[in-house]
Amino acid sequence: MRARLLAAGLPAEQMQLLAPADRPRDGALIAQLPGRDASLKPILLLAHLDVVEARREDWQRDPFKLVEENGWFYARGASDDKAMAAVFTDLLIRYRREGFTPRRALKLALTCGEETPNVFNSVAWLTRTRPEVLSAEFALNEGAGGELDAAGKPVALQIQAGEKVYQDFSLEASDVGGHSSRPTHANPIARLARGLVRLADYNFPVAFNPATRGYFEAETALVAPAIAADMRRVLDDPHDEAAVERLWAVNPGWNGMLRTTCVVTQIEGGHAPNALPQHVKANVNCRILPGVEPSAVQAELVRVIAEPGITVNTSGDIGLSSPVPPLSARILDPVREVAARLWPGVKLVPTMSTGATDGRFLNATGVPTYGLSGMFHDAEGSHAHGLDERIRVQSLLDGRRFLYEVVKIYANQR
């Protein structure tokens, strides 16, 4: 990427490769197209270059060789997130070659470790060690695409604001154990099981933010009438919990947007088939609504499990909680303007990520981060993280054109 930017005429002094001394291969490329007004903060274009691992024998095609077939690009990372990385790099090249000098500087950050944050993540590292490198007025990132109807027509363009906080909790119970012929009421597996059943039966309260409220309001015009009616019941105050349950059955992702979720994902315990267990441990994975502290969820887990002797502790790094960045006219108007030209009649749909992107690190440092690509998918989706990951060729080219025009407008804002 650096070589391509140099070939396009971007000066070497406007680029830097940054990596920890002990991880020289985990580098980030930072490149900047200078602006006319140095007093204005730049716009940051963020994309990660790393991908989820893939096994060649499981794929129909070589996962690490880009294949174009029947109107699709196939490869690991084709959608997540090399499409955005390629388009953002391409934007700087095109702007430079055409002599475009924006009012605000445009900063490109191609990073690594998004898929393996517990090993190393260069965005987290940079925000800790070189915060000025990623400082920006706001950032554009992965996290939102668009929806195609059955005929392949774009019907909904998403813009993502905010994401849930990832947090694992470790639940443990212990006892002295003993011979399995002498059972007691202190069996730690049984005690933990009772607590986990209570957790499985518990739902955190529904809570809207501007992004999720905007999402469900917009979706009422795009889904079947019965589903739209349930969405309106959920939007009501007070909401209809039965409607929440029906929507959950249709699409579990909708439930994830409405509330914090916690689910047991792993359990291990006991040391012999003929002995009472001495120890049991379970992992509970929570996806926490923006603005809610993990400590508050930890306290709620203790209350819901309500089983003496079970400890509930955070596992791994503490998740970063930050508010949902505002979807102001300054952000939305350029999107509406360009979308109306490219896809007349398409509906703009705010959304919130229920997964996790590198935006969580930037939002926590005060850089509002929005998912925006203009890359549309059909109902089957991109297969990101799965077999035969793909992106429609036309969607990639449409996203390239869309981002070229939108970023130009953003870069010329005061």
Side-chain angles (χ1 to χ4, degrees), residues 17-142:
L17 292 170
L18 300 174
D22 61 337
R23 302 187 69 91
R25 290 178 60 83
D26 290 327
L29 170 63
I30 312 297
Q32 184 157 297
L33 185 68
R36 303 191 303 271
D37 189 342
S39 68
L40 298 176
K41 287 185 176 180
I43 308 299
L44 177 64
L45 309 177
L46 175 69
H48 67 89
L49 293 173
D50 65 305
V51 299
V52 170
E53 190 53 79
R55 299 198 311 168
R56 174 66 186 89
E57 60 269 27
D58 294 339
W59 283 52
Q60 296 181 37
R61 307 160 187 85
D62 187 339
F64 298 112
K65 179 180 180 181
L66 184 65
V67 174
E68 183 177 354
E69 185 179 299
N70 298 325
W72 296 84
F73 286 130
Y74 291 89
R76 172 58 90 225
S79 175
D80 184 13
D81 185 31
K82 292 182 183 292
M84 293 282 284
V87 167
F88 282 156
T89 306
D90 175 65
L91 294 188
L92 259 63
I93 290 172
R94 296 167 72 191
Y95 294 154
R96 173 70 185 185
R97 284 178 172 166
E98 69 185 37
F100 171 59
T101 304
R103 176 177 277 115
R104 292 177 181 273
L106 289 172
K107 186 185 294 184
L108 171 70
L110 302 179
T111 61
C112 66
E114 197 269 354
E115 303 292 6
T116 53
N118 291 332
V119 178
F120 175 78
N121 180 286
S122 57
V123 175
W125 175 71
L126 287 168
T127 57
R128 289 194 308 268
T129 62
R130 298 284 300 275
E132 77 284 355
V133 169
L134 298 180
S135 176
E137 184 71 8
F138 63 87
L140 298 183
N141 183 32
E142 63 172 334

Side-chain angles (χ1 to χ4, degrees), residues 147-171:
E147 300 174 24
L148 300 168
D149 65 15
K153 177 185 176 182
V155 292
L157 172 65
Q158 295 178 345
I159 180 168
Q160 178 253 332
E163 53 191 70
K164 297 181 88 172
V165 176
Y166 180 108
Q167 186 65 60
D168 286 316
F169 292 93
S170 177
L171 280 56

Side-chain angles (χ1 to χ4, degrees), residues 64-304:
F64 298 112
K65 179 180 180 181
L66 184 65
V67 174
E68 183 177 354
E69 185 179 299
N70 298 325
W72 296 84
F73 286 130
Y74 291 89
R76 172 58 90 225
S79 175
D80 184 13
D81 185 31
K82 292 182 183 292
M84 293 282 284
V87 167
F88 282 156
T89 306
D90 175 65
L91 294 188
L92 259 63
I93 290 172
R94 296 167 72 191
Y95 294 154
R96 173 70 185 185
R97 284 178 172 166
E98 69 185 37
F100 171 59
T101 304
R103 176 177 277 115
R104 292 177 181 273
L106 289 172
K107 186 185 294 184
L108 171 70
L110 302 179
T111 61
C112 66
E114 197 269 354
E115 303 292 6
T116 53
N118 291 332
V119 178
F120 175 78
N121 180 286
S122 57
V123 175
W125 175 71
L126 287 168
T127 57
R128 289 194 308 268
T129 62
R130 298 284 300 275
E132 77 284 355
V133 169
L134 298 180
S135 176
E137 184 71 8
F138 63 87
L140 298 183
N141 183 32
E142 63 172 334
E147 300 174 24
L148 300 168
D149 65 15
K153 177 185 176 182
V155 292
L157 172 65
Q158 295 178 345
I159 180 168
Q160 178 253 332
E163 53 191 70
K164 297 181 88 172
V165 176
Y166 180 108
Q167 186 65 60
D168 286 316
F169 292 93
S170 177
L171 280 56
E172 297 186 64
S174 298
D175 188 49
V176 295
H179 201 285
S180 60
S181 67
R182 297 166 55 86
T184 73
H185 292 300
N187 188 312
I189 291 179
R191 286 188 284 128
L192 183 59
R194 287 194 295 267
L196 291 175
V197 168
R198 294 186 189 105
L199 178 60
D201 291 338
Y202 175 74
N203 290 324
F204 284 79
V206 169
F208 283 102
N209 58 52
T212 54
R213 181 169 292 278
Y215 173 85
F216 282 96
E217 288 174 344
E219 284 290 308
T220 59
L222 300 172
V223 297
I227 295 175
D230 274 342
M231 287 183 170
R232 286 188 285 268
R233 293 185 185 101
V234 172
L235 288 163
D236 285 343
D237 187 15
H239 71 273
D240 182 341
E241 187 64 30
V244 176
E245 287 288 332
R246 290 191 293 271
L247 292 180
W248 188 352
V250 173
N251 183 345
W254 289 339
N255 178 66
M257 292 182 70
L258 289 169
R259 53 166 53 111
T260 291
T261 59
C262 290
V263 60
V264 59
T265 55
Q266 292 179 308
I267 190 166
E268 56 184 84
H271 59 284
N274 58 351
L276 298 177
Q278 298 169 356
H279 184 257
V280 63
K281 179 179 180 180
N283 186 82
V284 169
N285 177 248
C286 295
R287 305 301 176 111
I288 304 169
L289 288 176
V292 177
E293 292 296 332
S295 58
V297 175
Q298 182 179 7
E300 185 69 352
L301 289 176
V302 172
R303 187 193 70 81
V304 171

